[in-house]
Amino acid sequence: MEKLLDVENVSISFIQYTQGLNQRDLKVITDLTLDISEGEILAVLGSSGSGKSLLAHAIFGILPENANLNGKIKYKGKELTQKDKEEIRGKDIALIPQSVNFLDPLMKISD
């Protein structure tokens, strides 16, 4: 069965400033690999702040500008570019948030 979504070795980090101009790399997701085949259901579980929404944002291409994303995200065998993510977002792949408090009416996700 063909993989529908393939997340390979994805890591997401942010530069965090501590004590003035001192910086550290805040690793939020490290070396995550998962795949979903057509017809398969996957549940991503974790405590608050563990990176579940961040993973979804990476797949949708809506990470904040200060995020560093490494690894590959493929949809139907094709590695997704930012433009690809924008084209499939809401059409082929959608996010259903657990709570409407998650939705920010001022957040721009596409033109």
Side-chain angles (χ1 to χ4, degrees), residues 27-91:
K27 295 177 180 166
V28 182
I29 296 176
T30 304
D31 201 29
L32 174 72
T33 297
L34 63 87
D35 59 70
I36 304 169
S37 298
E38 207 164 321
E40 185 176 18
I41 296 172
L42 172 77
V44 179
L45 304 173
S47 61
S48 179
S50 64
K52 302 177 302 288
S53 294
L54 202 57
L55 172 62
H57 290 179
I59 293 167
F60 286 110
I62 57 173
L63 286 171
E65 289 184 21
N66 64 336
N68 299 312
L69 172 64
N70 293 302
K72 295 179 183 177
I73 300 173
K74 297 178 183 178
Y75 179 67
K76 295 184 176 179
K78 180 185 181 209
E79 187 170 352
L80 296 176
T81 64
Q82 181 62 29
K83 185 176 184 207
D84 294 331
K85 291 175 184 180
E86 291 168 8
E87 288 176 3
I88 66 170
R89 186 186 315 134
K91 296 177 186 134

Side-chain angles (χ1 to χ4, degrees), residues 52-53 57 95-105:
K52 302 177 302 288
S53 294
H57 290 179
L95 171 66
I96 302 170
Q98 179 178 344
S99 168
V100 293
N101 295 336
F102 175 76
L103 300 174
D104 178 358

